[in-house]
Amino acid sequence: MKIAYFTDTYAPEVNGVTNTLTKLSGYLENKGIRHTFFAPAYNDGDPDMPVRRFKTGTRKSVAVLTPLTRPHEEMSLKKVHRFPGIKVSISPNSCLAFPKTKQIFTLCDRFAPDLVHVTTEFGIGHKGMKYAVSRKLPLIMSSHTDYCKYLSYYGLSPLEPFAEMYLKRFFKPAHRVLAPSKYTMEHLRQKGYDNLGVWSRGIDAVRFSTGHRSNQIRNDLGIGDRFAFLYVGRISPEKGLHLLLRAIGSINKAYPGKAVFIFTGDGPYADTIRQSGYDNVIMTGFKHGSELSAIYASCDCFAFPSGTETFGNTCLEAMASGLAIAGINGGGVTDYLVHGENALLCSDGDVDGFVSNLTELMNNQLLRRELSAKGRQTALAKDWNRVFDNLLSEYETVIRENVPAERFFARVS
């Protein structure tokens, strides 16, 4: 099996999709499945910047940095094709690329994929969809972001009908549309999408665990003996961070000097938080690897006010790290967060409810420990290999159902 992936987000950009695709590449390497990615260049438009590659030879893939080959070199040596793009003001760490159709088709024909998987609805994803349709190839498309819900947070609600129309038309050729959660899949079904399935998410329960807790990190961040609330993710309006800012004001008034609020990540709402005037807010920027693991495990509670998640990877990372969660009872997180069982949840936009849950977790150590233990159990059940095994089964099913018999048997013989 050979798979071509088309994505508008890939390393070194930091988000849940990038993390998932990087993990997936390592899994496919271990399985001996050839694959290639078509993705943006992030180094000021340089398409030959170093990218993550995976070497086989051991049971566990090892990520190393290797420079890309030139376009005229042998396709099979190249794991990621990069294309210069443009920066997006509302997401300064992202890059949208619009490669030429002829260039994409030439590279894809040389690779000769058995299946195309499109993970983005825009420039590169559109080229991948067009290629699969033109070559009558099995096509899987995955929906990772609820863009229509995001529009209202940027004052663009009037565009929602047009966005819905574009997206429905874009996904129509897919033989399977995969959502990251059952919640998101049902949301798409209600909009009239069909051929739906779930491509869930997993967790590395070694990388994210209670064992990474560090007093040194707490001292370096300036937490000290205060109770540390943590938010990790994109710092932008659609994440409901106005709710968390209002909660900070309420908690500071009721419990002066008792709590500190850590924001790990970056985005267009970061300046609003910096200008809030709270002296117990700490902005770390993006963090990676062992430092991110230590920040998770060294805090005391995960405060996640977003009701727009299609899955919510950072909640899973927090649970694996032993943090009790105060979150929103809406979106993809409801696939695995249950109020009173492994988290405390409130309605989206309910400031009083969110403040109450944060305060309860800060003051009730016994409850915090119970939710932490059950949350860790939930995370441990989300194994990446099981997630990717299920995805591979989807690939095989779609290929079997959409490749003519003579081509299918020629491929597997």
Side-chain angles (χ1 to χ4, degrees):
M1 184 189 301
K2 292 192 290 184
I3 309 163
Y5 293 93
F6 291 81
T7 179
D8 273 325
T9 178
Y10 200 67
E13 188 175 357
V14 179
N15 58 41
V17 177
T18 291
N19 178 55
T20 300
L21 293 178
T22 302
K23 291 282 187 183
L24 174 59
S25 183
Y27 168 88
L28 295 174
E29 285 284 1
N30 284 338
K31 292 285 187 179
I33 297 173
R34 291 182 62 190
H35 58 287
T36 189
F37 289 90
F38 295 84
Y42 292 89
N43 189 19
D44 296 325
D46 178 9
D48 293 322
M49 67 169 290
V51 298
R52 288 196 180 276
R53 301 281 290 280
F54 289 85
K55 289 184 176 180
T56 54
T58 60
R59 190 169 185 270
K60 185 176 182 180
S61 294
V62 179
V64 296
L65 290 177
T66 308
L68 287 172
T69 56
R70 297 286 177 178
H72 63 272
E73 293 179 330
E74 181 59 39
M75 171 66 195
S76 63
L77 297 177
K78 193 166 183 179
K79 188 61 59 64
V80 183
H81 286 280
R82 298 280 186 172
F83 303 92
I86 58 173
K87 296 291 185 179
V88 183
S89 60
I90 63 173
S91 182
N93 295 298
S94 301
C95 184
L96 288 179
F98 301 90
K100 294 180 179 179
T101 300
K102 183 177 179 181
Q103 184 181 16
I104 291 289
F105 278 39
T106 298
L107 292 170
C108 279
D109 283 343
R110 204 175 297 168
F111 181 65
D114 297 303
L115 177 140
V116 170
H117 187 160
V118 172
T119 70
T120 177
E121 297 88 341
F122 302 112
I124 288 180
H126 190 266
K127 300 296 184 185
M129 180 268 287
K130 289 293 188 183
Y131 177 78
V133 170
S134 72
R135 300 299 189 260
K136 296 182 171 57
L137 288 171
L139 173 62
I140 282 186
M141 305 174 83
S142 47
S143 175
H144 301 276
T145 304
D146 191 345
Y147 290 105
C148 293
K149 186 177 287 187
Y150 280 17
L151 290 174
S152 63
Y153 291 92
Y154 294 92
L156 300 173
S157 295
L159 296 179
E160 186 171 340
F162 302 100
E164 291 282 13
M165 184 171 59
Y166 168 78
L167 291 171
K168 198 166 184 180
R169 183 175 180 180
F170 178 80
F171 282 104
K172 188 175 181 179
H175 297 112
R176 189 83 81 246
V177 176
L178 299 179
S181 63
K182 293 178 182 177
Y183 173 93
T184 304
M185 182 181 70
E186 290 305 318
H187 184 61
L188 292 173
R189 193 188 307 281
Q190 290 170 14
K191 291 183 177 184
Y193 289 70
D194 52 18
N195 297 322
L196 293 168
V198 174
W199 174 23
S200 189
R201 300 295 181 263
I203 190 69
D204 183 341
V206 174
R207 179 184 172 194
F208 298 101
S209 75
T210 57
H212 296 290
R213 189 173 178 88
S214 166
N215 287 330
Q216 183 63 52
I217 286 288
R218 289 179 67 90
N219 290 333
D220 290 345
L221 290 176
I223 296 172
D225 295 329
R226 292 178 292 179
F227 189 90
F229 292 101
L230 174 68
Y231 169 86
V232 176
R234 180 168 149 74
I235 300 181
S236 53
E238 72 273 7
K239 297 296 185 178
L241 293 172
H242 63 287
L243 191 69
L244 182 51
L245 273 185
R246 292 178 64 181
I248 292 173
S250 297
I251 291 173
N252 285 350
K253 184 177 181 179
Y255 302 94
K258 185 171 182 178
V260 63
F261 296 83
I262 314 295
F263 290 82
T264 293
D266 203 356
Y269 200 70
D271 284 342
T272 300
I273 295 174
R274 292 189 185 97
Q275 295 165 12
S276 63
Y278 298 124
D279 59 7
N280 60 336
V281 166
I282 298 170
M283 310 285 289
T284 72
F286 281 116
K287 295 297 179 182
H288 315 274
S290 59
E291 190 173 10
L292 177 61
S293 301
I295 289 174
Y296 267 118
S298 301
C299 291
D300 303 300
C301 170
F302 195 63
F304 198 70
S306 175
T308 63
E309 301 304 300
T310 57
F311 181 81
N313 298 64
T314 57
C315 284
L316 209 57
E317 293 169 356
M319 296 167 86
S321 303
L323 298 187
I325 292 178
I328 301 300
N329 192 20
V333 299
T334 56
D335 266 25
Y336 56 90
L337 293 185
V338 180
H339 177 68
E341 182 175 319
N342 59 12
L344 293 185
L345 306 177
C346 67
S347 299
D348 194 6
D350 181 1
V351 177
D352 292 339
F354 194 57
V355 170
S356 177
N357 287 343
L358 291 174
T359 302
E360 180 71 11
L361 289 176
M362 180 172 65
N363 294 329
N364 190 334
Q365 186 180 58
L366 179 60
L367 174 63
R368 197 166 66 245
R369 286 178 175 174
E370 289 176 355
L371 296 179
S372 169
K374 290 178 180 176
R376 172 77 177 166
Q377 290 175 4
T378 299
L380 289 175
K382 298 287 187 178
D383 176 68
W384 273 120
N385 284 332
R386 189 178 304 132
V387 168
F388 293 141
D389 286 345
N390 291 337
L391 179 63
L392 206 57
S393 294
E394 287 278 14
Y395 288 170
E396 292 168 348
T397 299
V398 168
I399 289 173
R400 186 171 59 251
E401 291 177 350
N402 296 282
V403 174
E406 64 273 14
R407 281 178 54 198
F408 176 78
F409 288 113
R411 185 185 64 82
V412 298
S413 61

